[in-house]
Amino acid sequence: MSDLNKMTIAAARDALRAGEVTSAELTEACLTAIDGADALGAFVHKTPEIAMERAKAADARLQGREEAPAMCGIPVGIKDLFCTKGVASQAASRILEGFRPEYESTVSQNLADAGAVMLGKLNMDEFAMGSSNETSVYGNAVNPWRAGNSDAGLTPGGSSGGSASAVAADLCLAATGTDTGGSIRQPAAFTGITGIKPTYGRCSRWGIVAFASSLDQAGPMTKDVRDAAIMLQAMCSHDPKDSTSADLPVPDFEAALTGDIKGKTIGIPREYRMDGMPDEIETLWAQGTEMLRDAGAKIVDISLPHTKYALPAYYVIAPAEASSNLARYDGVRYGRRAALSQGDGITEMYEKTRAEGFGAEVQRRVMIGTYVLSAGFYDAYYNRARKVRTLIKKDFEDVFAQGVDAILTPATPSAAFELGKTFDDPVQMYLNDVFTVTVNLAGLPGISVPAGLDAQGLPLGLQLIGRPWEEGDLLNTAYALEQAAGFVAKPAKWW
Amino acid sequence: MLDLTYQPPKPKVIAGAKYDWELVIGMEVHAQVSSEAKLFSGASTKFGAEPNSNVSFVDAAMPGMLPVINEFCVEQAVRTGLGLKAQINLKSAFDRKNYFYPDLPQGYQISQLYEPIVGEGEVLVDMEPGIARLVRIERIHMEQDAGKSIHDMDPHMSFVDLNRTGVALMEIVSRPDIRGPEEAAAYVTKLRQILRYLGTCDGNMQNGNLRADVNVSVCRPGQYEKYQETQDFSHLGTRCEIKNMNSMRFIQAAIEYEARRQIAIVEAGGTVDQETRLYDPDKNETRSMRSKEEAHDYRYFPDPDLLPLEIEQAWVDDIAASLPELPDEKKARFMGDFGLSEYDANVLTAETDSAAYFEAAAQGRDGKTVANWVINELFGRLNRDDTAITDSPMSPAQLGGVVDLVASDTINGKMAKDLFEIVYTEGGDPAQVAEAKGMKQVTDTGAIEAAVDEVIAANPAQVEKARENPKLAGWFVGQVMKATGGKANPKVVNQLIAQKLKD
């Protein structure tokens, strides 16, 4: 069997169970692909020894067993935001230089327990703050896709840019991502893969470096919808170590993939039709709508009236939480501590350590967050943003109460953009999240599905938003959309 | 049960150079919850462990670690609230108080600013019999303790011990109802007593398990009453907060010093700056720690790692049903059921152990007599030996036995004290010991009469004098007691001597 690294999870699972391939072979194929793809900057800490050890263990577990867990023997990449025991976990930040946790995040432990094989750690924006993977201390990851005949490097999106790049370039079968404002869905859309952010509380946050605790949620980034269902299943669990983890049974997501969406009601929110939105995005959205209609769904126009306040509210709440969450990186106990001069005291140690340990975007958000929480501004910013958040949540509750099963929107306002072009314009960069942040603010599940190519041959994604805790239903609608869109394009290998 | 009524004490008045001044004091008492594990982590709270040995990943604020509430600590906070007759909030929430310090690994303390678990309550602060101050409690909230920074181990480095980091505290906030240094100490004493009754805090001030921040201001007589009428703080002076005191003596000294400092400033035409101060017991003065301008902006906001804390009324009811008898009720019952004075009742109910001892000893006996024995004899004896009442070598039954022998006129009062000492040091059943040691009182009139006759016959001159001055009869009583080895019934001796001298 050739090109094992290009397999989907589902295909590899079946082949592994049938004894047609071994996890060691799959893993070796991925490790070879990774070694040949340094130009993509996707893997920032490679763990080939751990990978081969786990692959062999998985093969032993698969031996003669028809019903090993679906993820058993599947090689995956892990975003650097997840703490992995004994393996560098530094959230792409200088301040966590040299940090090797003594513990394993619940999500990566769940995957390991299911027999998944960790290939290494994946690039990302520093502390998951960014939409282009350019704030990483490791340098940016690169999108395997290129526009037309151009050689210009494109962003894989962010913050889970390394995960997106690695999956799109077949360096691994799938990867973990995290999504605070769109960090799974936007990079998935930019790289032509599938990414789902489950309902807030589905995946434990324990052991994932916190960015904005009330918004952060882990999810899978995969080559198709079925793989997303399989991998999400393995990542979810109720975790008593995370007070916000939901004590709900995890249904069989893959079993929900019938492709039958007859009678389902799909809402098209008018507020997501933004001024200056490229025609190609508008066209894709219309095509997606038609595909779902053709598949038997009922299409309704809906209104989510507070949408326009979502982005500003998000950029108050997320930095506020981040400013507090990142206070622990002070050089006292772990990670980097700045060299101090004679006579420097504790204040200098904090200032120097944090000034050289955090990049510009992280510093910007820590300062914004500190400002919006400060005395005299708290009500005007943070409290108001919380009220907006409640209204946005209610917008969704209202349309779901009217019988809407899922909402279709574009995933991003554009295709992948050139690296370096937007980096110095934070506001333009923040606009990348315009279609995705509402979902985080409302705690809902959202999935990005590749649905077409733009004129430059770059992938574009559509987003489906589902009811809380109904990821199975959402995945099935996404599956129907995927079937109809028939997206099979792959980036031409240049790396 | 007795329904006790009290008069409020007079506020302390300090005479300044120009005017008289009154004090207004509010307190924030930090009580460490008696629990095995910390508020949000499973780490142990054991005192005196090796530095940094009781530290979990959560306490050290490692990346990705999350707090999980310790239900036992919540129960203790509710229990405390119920013990202070306070409103229990079925929904409360945790907030982050943000500031940087090396012994605060998270960079924030998890506390309850906006929605505390316990609302308004009250504490009756006994000052002297019939006099007590009712101090209103504003709120009680739960929060994490910080660690310990050690600056004097090395000339260039500071060290941090995180053992205490994350230990559960209850912050008990009073209204400014305390009117003097003695009241402040009495308030802390009463609070400590209630907490110890409830078992929610061991009250060990030496280990820092009970500490107080004291807010002090001064005002001219009459101003406080205006505040009480309107609850408008502008009638009061500017307050200063004296931080982190863990001794009753220091609390009083610090308040006294601080009040005089403020009076001197105001009388000299100055204004008091609102600020945080520290008390230096060596110099007996308070010093500015940070001014209002330097005050931290704590940027409180709801902790997104924790869901709002919701508890059920039924659970609260169960806790309420399991509350022990509290000091005020116990005191009233002791006064009502045993006829004790308020003073004796206060002394005996100070600690549950002494109250329990008394109750066991007083069962079926005269309460006042038993109270006298416990307070005057037993406490004194234990004190001399530096022994706790729980380790008393003399059981309540033994003490009761001694009391019984006096009550039945089997031994006299003097012999009883000797018997007490013997039983205390050597043990044994008091009745048997009295018997064996021949301590039983002689009530046989014939034997006593013989002794009396002997003494009278041997001292004719004294007899003459006593006949002229009956007050001298006491000398004969002493002689007779001596002759009978102290065992004669003093009543009978007195009667006989009076009668014989008349003859």
Side-chain angles (χ1 to χ4, degrees), chain B residues 222-493:
Chain B
Q223 291 299 107
Y224 183 79
E225 288 68 23
K226 289 184 189 162
Y227 155 72
Q228 279 291 14
E229 267 169 41
T230 58
Q231 296 296 307
D232 177 356
F233 287 102
S234 69
H235 295 295
L236 303 178
T238 304
R239 70 176 194 271
C240 288
E241 183 179 25
I242 315 167
K243 279 282 194 201
N244 222 15
M245 282 182 292
N246 63 345
S247 135
M248 303 289 186
R249 198 157 55 85
F250 294 167
I251 288 171
Q252 296 188 61
I255 292 171
E256 185 86 32
Y257 173 87
E258 179 59 21
R260 291 183 187 278
R261 187 188 72 87
Q262 293 181 14
I263 291 167
I265 291 173
V266 180
E267 290 201 336
T271 51
V272 174
D273 291 328
Q274 185 177 336
E275 60 183 0
T276 303
R277 301 180 68 85
L278 278 180
Y279 176 69
D280 179 345
D282 295 331
K283 295 188 174 157
N284 185 29
E285 62 180 28
T286 63
R287 283 199 297 272
S288 180
M289 190 172 138
R290 51 176 180 258
S291 68
K292 197 180 177 187
E293 289 71 38
E294 292 167 304
H296 294 296
D297 181 348
Y298 290 120
R299 290 167 285 124
Y300 279 101
F301 76 107
D303 192 327
D305 285 333
L306 292 160
L307 301 173
L309 181 60
E310 296 190 27
I311 56 178
E312 285 174 14
Q313 186 61 48
W315 188 61
V316 176
D317 293 344
D318 285 349
I319 297 171
S322 76
L323 285 193
E325 184 182 38
L326 290 166
D328 291 342
E329 287 80 55
K330 200 182 278 292
K331 173 178 142 184
R333 185 167 62 81
F334 279 14
M335 292 169 71
D337 291 4
F338 296 107
L340 301 191
S341 68
E342 189 183 348
Y343 177 85
D344 284 356
N346 272 337
V347 172
L348 290 171
T349 56
E351 297 279 348
T352 46
D353 292 331
S354 46
Y357 188 103
F358 164 76
E359 243 189 305
Q363 217 50 249
R365 302 190 171 95
D366 177 55
K368 272 176 153 168
T369 311
V370 174
N372 280 337
W373 276 94
V374 172
I375 294 169
N376 299 325
E377 304 303 323
L378 182 67
F379 284 0
R381 193 66 185 79
L382 291 170
N383 208 22
R384 226 184 321 147
D385 288 355
D386 198 18
T387 300
I389 193 153
T390 42
D391 299 328
S392 168
M394 191 174 205
S395 70
Q398 286 172 312
L399 184 82
V402 174
V403 173
D404 289 345
L405 292 174
V406 180
S408 61
D409 272 349
T410 312
I411 58 174
N412 63 37
K414 171 163 185 322
M415 278 296 158
K417 289 189 184 175
D418 295 345
L419 178 61
F420 171 92
E421 182 59 28
I422 294 167
V423 174
Y424 182 95
T425 45
E426 295 167 19
D429 172 51
Q432 284 171 15
V433 173
E435 181 78 58
K437 304 250 176 195
M439 300 173 91
K440 287 173 98 172
Q441 166 160 270
V442 179
T443 37
D444 170 3
T445 321
I448 295 174
E449 196 170 355
V452 171
D453 288 345
E454 210 167 294
V455 172
I456 286 179
N459 297 287
Q462 290 287 345
V463 172
E464 281 311 309
K465 285 183 192 168
R467 284 200 169 131
E468 284 160 30
N469 181 4
K471 283 184 184 162
L472 294 178
W475 181 85
F476 287 92
V477 176
Q479 294 301 308
V480 173
M481 292 304 283
K482 208 165 155 190
T484 55
K487 291 183 286 186
N489 184 329
K491 238 189 272 172
V492 179
V493 176

Side-chain angles (χ1 to χ4, degrees), chain A residues 142-339:
Chain A
V142 182
N143 196 326
W145 293 82
R146 283 178 167 179
N149 299 320
S150 167
D151 286 346
L154 299 181
T155 177
S159 65
S160 309
S163 303
S165 176
V167 174
D170 293 318
L171 309 186
C172 50
L173 272 58
T176 61
T178 63
D179 190 318
T180 303
S183 283
I184 287 175
R185 292 159 287 156
Q186 182 252 24
F190 278 8
T191 56
I193 65 168
T194 300
I196 180 168
K197 180 202 90 74
T199 314
Y200 182 81
R202 244 324 170 202
C203 286
S204 167
R205 294 183 297 111
W206 193 87
I208 301 174
V209 175
F211 161 16
S213 311
S214 73
L215 300 159
D216 296 344
Q217 192 58 203
M221 300 177 73
T222 57
K223 294 175 187 178
D224 63 20
V225 172
R226 180 172 301 280
D227 283 9
I230 295 169
M231 186 162 167
L232 179 62
Q233 181 92 39
M235 291 168 72
C236 297
S237 64
H238 169 60
D239 184 0
K241 291 186 288 189
D242 174 2
S243 308
T244 63
S245 162
D247 192 1
L248 290 173
V250 180
D252 185 340
F253 296 132
E254 193 185 4
L257 304 184
T258 61
D260 180 4
I261 57 163
K262 285 191 193 71
K264 293 280 178 194
T265 302
I266 307 296
I268 309 296
R270 68 175 68 99
E271 290 80 8
Y272 282 59
R273 193 155 281 117
M274 304 274 175
D275 285 343
M277 191 158 78
D279 288 345
E280 285 171 308
I281 302 287
E282 187 118 20
T283 308
L284 181 80
W285 191 11
Q287 286 168 351
T289 306
E290 285 316 304
M291 290 175 204
L292 293 173
R293 195 195 306 277
D294 291 347
K298 182 179 155 200
I299 306 297
V300 294
D301 281 329
I302 59 167
S303 174
L304 298 166
H306 298 91
T307 300
K308 66 179 167 190
Y309 304 113
L311 205 56
Y314 172 83
Y315 275 98
V316 169
I317 291 170
E321 294 183 12
S323 71
S324 178
N325 282 336
L326 269 57
R328 63 187 57 198
Y329 307 107
D330 56 8
V332 174
R333 300 169 310 287
Y334 49 78
R336 187 187 179 96
R337 179 189 294 183

